[in-house]
Short mmCIF file of all heavy atoms in Angstrom, two decimals:
data_model
loop_
_atom_site.label_atom_id
_atom_site.label_comp_id
_atom_site.label_asym_id
_atom_site.label_seq_id
_atom_site.Cartn_x
_atom_site.Cartn_y
_atom_site.Cartn_z
N ARG A 21 113.15 82.27 94.29
CA ARG A 21 114.44 82.57 94.91
C ARG A 21 115.32 83.42 93.99
O ARG A 21 115.93 84.40 94.42
CB ARG A 21 115.15 81.26 95.25
CG ARG A 21 116.48 81.46 95.98
CD ARG A 21 117.16 80.15 96.33
NE ARG A 21 117.59 79.42 95.14
CZ ARG A 21 117.00 78.34 94.66
NH1 ARG A 21 115.93 77.84 95.27
NH2 ARG A 21 117.45 77.74 93.57
N ILE A 22 115.36 83.06 92.72
CA ILE A 22 116.19 83.80 91.77
C ILE A 22 115.58 85.17 91.46
O ILE A 22 116.30 86.17 91.30
CB ILE A 22 116.39 82.98 90.48
CG1 ILE A 22 117.19 81.72 90.81
CG2 ILE A 22 117.10 83.79 89.41
CD1 ILE A 22 117.35 80.77 89.65
N ASP A 23 114.25 85.25 91.40
CA ASP A 23 113.59 86.54 91.17
C ASP A 23 113.89 87.51 92.32
O ASP A 23 114.12 88.71 92.09
CB ASP A 23 112.08 86.34 91.04
CG ASP A 23 111.69 85.79 89.67
OD1 ASP A 23 112.47 85.93 88.72
OD2 ASP A 23 110.59 85.19 89.57
N VAL A 24 113.88 87.00 93.55
CA VAL A 24 114.17 87.85 94.72
C VAL A 24 115.62 88.30 94.66
O VAL A 24 115.93 89.47 94.96
CB VAL A 24 113.88 87.09 96.03
CG1 VAL A 24 114.39 87.89 97.24
CG2 VAL A 24 112.38 86.84 96.18
N TRP A 25 116.52 87.40 94.25
CA TRP A 25 117.94 87.79 94.11
C TRP A 25 118.07 88.93 93.09
O TRP A 25 118.83 89.87 93.30
CB TRP A 25 118.76 86.59 93.64
CG TRP A 25 120.23 86.89 93.54
CD1 TRP A 25 121.18 86.72 94.49
CD2 TRP A 25 120.90 87.47 92.40
NE1 TRP A 25 122.40 87.14 94.04
CE2 TRP A 25 122.27 87.60 92.75
CE3 TRP A 25 120.50 87.87 91.13
CZ2 TRP A 25 123.22 88.13 91.88
CZ3 TRP A 25 121.45 88.40 90.27
CH2 TRP A 25 122.78 88.53 90.63
N TYR A 26 117.33 88.83 91.99
CA TYR A 26 117.38 89.88 90.97
C TYR A 26 116.93 91.23 91.54
O TYR A 26 117.57 92.25 91.31
CB TYR A 26 116.48 89.49 89.79
CG TYR A 26 116.22 90.63 88.82
CD1 TYR A 26 117.16 90.98 87.87
CD2 TYR A 26 115.03 91.35 88.88
CE1 TYR A 26 116.94 92.04 86.99
CE2 TYR A 26 114.80 92.41 88.01
CZ TYR A 26 115.76 92.75 87.07
OH TYR A 26 115.53 93.80 86.21
N ILE A 27 115.85 91.21 92.32
CA ILE A 27 115.33 92.44 92.91
C ILE A 27 116.36 93.08 93.85
O ILE A 27 116.54 94.30 93.87
CB ILE A 27 114.01 92.15 93.67
CG1 ILE A 27 112.91 91.78 92.68
CG2 ILE A 27 113.58 93.36 94.51
CD1 ILE A 27 111.65 91.24 93.33
N GLU A 28 117.08 92.23 94.59
CA GLU A 28 118.06 92.74 95.56
C GLU A 28 119.37 93.18 94.90
O GLU A 28 120.14 93.92 95.52
CB GLU A 28 118.35 91.65 96.60
CG GLU A 28 117.17 91.31 97.47
CD GLU A 28 117.44 90.16 98.43
OE1 GLU A 28 118.45 89.45 98.23
OE2 GLU A 28 116.65 89.98 99.37
N ASN A 29 119.63 92.72 93.68
CA ASN A 29 120.91 93.00 93.05
C ASN A 29 120.77 93.73 91.71
O ASN A 29 121.71 93.73 90.91
CB ASN A 29 121.67 91.69 92.83
CG ASN A 29 122.08 91.02 94.12
OD1 ASN A 29 123.13 91.30 94.68
ND2 ASN A 29 121.23 90.13 94.62
N TRP A 30 119.64 94.36 91.48
CA TRP A 30 119.40 94.98 90.18
C TRP A 30 120.45 96.03 89.84
O TRP A 30 120.93 96.79 90.70
CB TRP A 30 118.03 95.67 90.14
CG TRP A 30 117.82 96.38 88.84
CD1 TRP A 30 117.31 95.87 87.70
CD2 TRP A 30 118.19 97.75 88.54
NE1 TRP A 30 117.32 96.81 86.70
CE2 TRP A 30 117.85 97.97 87.18
CE3 TRP A 30 118.76 98.77 89.27
CZ2 TRP A 30 118.07 99.20 86.56
CZ3 TRP A 30 118.99 99.99 88.64
CH2 TRP A 30 118.63 100.20 87.30
N SER A 31 120.81 96.06 88.56
CA SER A 31 121.56 97.16 87.97
C SER A 31 121.24 97.17 86.49
O SER A 31 120.79 96.15 85.94
CB SER A 31 123.08 97.00 88.19
OG SER A 31 123.57 95.96 87.37
N ILE A 32 121.45 98.27 85.82
CA ILE A 32 121.16 98.34 84.39
C ILE A 32 122.06 97.39 83.61
O ILE A 32 121.66 96.81 82.60
CB ILE A 32 121.30 99.80 83.86
CG1 ILE A 32 120.71 99.93 82.46
CG2 ILE A 32 122.75 100.24 83.90
CD1 ILE A 32 119.22 99.64 82.37
N TRP A 33 123.28 97.18 84.14
CA TRP A 33 124.21 96.25 83.48
C TRP A 33 123.73 94.81 83.64
O TRP A 33 123.93 93.99 82.74
CB TRP A 33 125.62 96.43 84.06
CG TRP A 33 126.05 97.85 84.07
CD1 TRP A 33 126.31 98.63 85.16
CD2 TRP A 33 126.23 98.71 82.93
NE1 TRP A 33 126.65 99.90 84.78
CE2 TRP A 33 126.61 99.98 83.42
CE3 TRP A 33 126.12 98.53 81.55
CZ2 TRP A 33 126.88 101.05 82.58
CZ3 TRP A 33 126.38 99.60 80.72
CH2 TRP A 33 126.75 100.84 81.22
N LEU A 34 123.10 94.51 84.77
CA LEU A 34 122.53 93.17 84.96
C LEU A 34 121.40 92.95 83.96
O LEU A 34 121.28 91.87 83.36
CB LEU A 34 122.01 93.01 86.39
CG LEU A 34 121.33 91.68 86.73
CD1 LEU A 34 122.29 90.51 86.53
CD2 LEU A 34 120.79 91.69 88.17
N ASP A 35 120.56 93.97 83.74
CA ASP A 35 119.49 93.87 82.74
C ASP A 35 120.05 93.60 81.35
O ASP A 35 119.55 92.73 80.61
CB ASP A 35 118.66 95.16 82.72
CG ASP A 35 117.58 95.17 83.80
OD1 ASP A 35 117.54 94.21 84.60
OD2 ASP A 35 116.79 96.12 83.84
N ILE A 36 121.10 94.34 80.98
CA ILE A 36 121.71 94.15 79.66
C ILE A 36 122.28 92.75 79.54
O ILE A 36 122.15 92.09 78.50
CB ILE A 36 122.80 95.22 79.42
CG1 ILE A 36 122.15 96.61 79.31
CG2 ILE A 36 123.61 94.91 78.17
CD1 ILE A 36 123.14 97.76 79.29
N ASN A 37 122.91 92.28 80.59
CA ASN A 37 123.49 90.94 80.60
C ASN A 37 122.40 89.87 80.42
O ASN A 37 122.56 88.91 79.65
CB ASN A 37 124.23 90.71 81.91
CG ASN A 37 124.89 89.35 81.98
OD1 ASN A 37 125.61 88.95 81.08
ND2 ASN A 37 124.63 88.62 83.04
N ILE A 38 121.27 90.04 81.11
CA ILE A 38 120.16 89.08 81.01
C ILE A 38 119.59 89.08 79.59
O ILE A 38 119.27 88.02 79.05
CB ILE A 38 119.07 89.42 82.04
CG1 ILE A 38 119.58 89.12 83.46
CG2 ILE A 38 117.79 88.62 81.77
CD1 ILE A 38 118.66 89.60 84.56
N ILE A 39 119.47 90.26 78.99
CA ILE A 39 118.96 90.36 77.62
C ILE A 39 119.89 89.62 76.64
O ILE A 39 119.44 88.87 75.78
CB ILE A 39 118.79 91.83 77.20
CG1 ILE A 39 117.65 92.48 77.98
CG2 ILE A 39 118.52 91.95 75.70
CD1 ILE A 39 117.56 93.98 77.84
N LEU A 40 121.20 89.84 76.78
CA LEU A 40 122.17 89.16 75.92
C LEU A 40 122.10 87.65 76.07
O LEU A 40 122.10 86.91 75.09
CB LEU A 40 123.59 89.66 76.23
CG LEU A 40 123.90 91.12 75.86
CD1 LEU A 40 125.29 91.50 76.37
CD2 LEU A 40 123.84 91.32 74.35
N LEU A 41 122.01 87.17 77.32
CA LEU A 41 121.92 85.73 77.56
C LEU A 41 120.60 85.16 77.06
O LEU A 41 120.54 84.01 76.60
CB LEU A 41 122.08 85.44 79.06
CG LEU A 41 123.49 85.68 79.63
CD1 LEU A 41 123.49 85.50 81.14
CD2 LEU A 41 124.50 84.74 78.98
N THR A 42 119.53 85.96 77.12
CA THR A 42 118.23 85.53 76.58
C THR A 42 118.32 85.34 75.07
O THR A 42 117.81 84.35 74.53
CB THR A 42 117.13 86.57 76.92
OG1 THR A 42 117.03 86.69 78.34
CG2 THR A 42 115.79 86.13 76.35
N ILE A 43 118.96 86.29 74.39
CA ILE A 43 119.12 86.19 72.94
C ILE A 43 119.91 84.93 72.58
O ILE A 43 119.55 84.20 71.65
CB ILE A 43 119.81 87.45 72.38
CG1 ILE A 43 118.90 88.67 72.57
CG2 ILE A 43 120.17 87.27 70.91
CD1 ILE A 43 119.57 89.99 72.27
N ILE A 44 120.98 84.67 73.33
CA ILE A 44 121.79 83.47 73.09
C ILE A 44 120.95 82.21 73.28
O ILE A 44 121.02 81.27 72.49
CB ILE A 44 123.01 83.45 74.03
CG1 ILE A 44 123.97 84.58 73.66
CG2 ILE A 44 123.73 82.10 73.97
CD1 ILE A 44 125.10 84.80 74.63
#
């Protein structure tokens, strides 16, 4: 469900946000 949401709402800023949260 969350993966599908990501596909439908992708943006480069979302990717950067996910990377930052992953590091945290």
Side-chain angles (χ1 to χ4, degrees):
R21 183 179 67 254
I22 295 175
D23 283 338
V24 171
W25 183 92
Y26 168 80
I27 292 170
E28 294 175 345
N29 294 272
W30 176 88
S31 72
I32 192 62
W33 310 115
L34 178 60
D35 276 4
I36 293 171
N37 182 51
I38 290 171
I39 291 169
L40 292 173
L41 290 174
T42 300
I43 294 170
I44 293 171

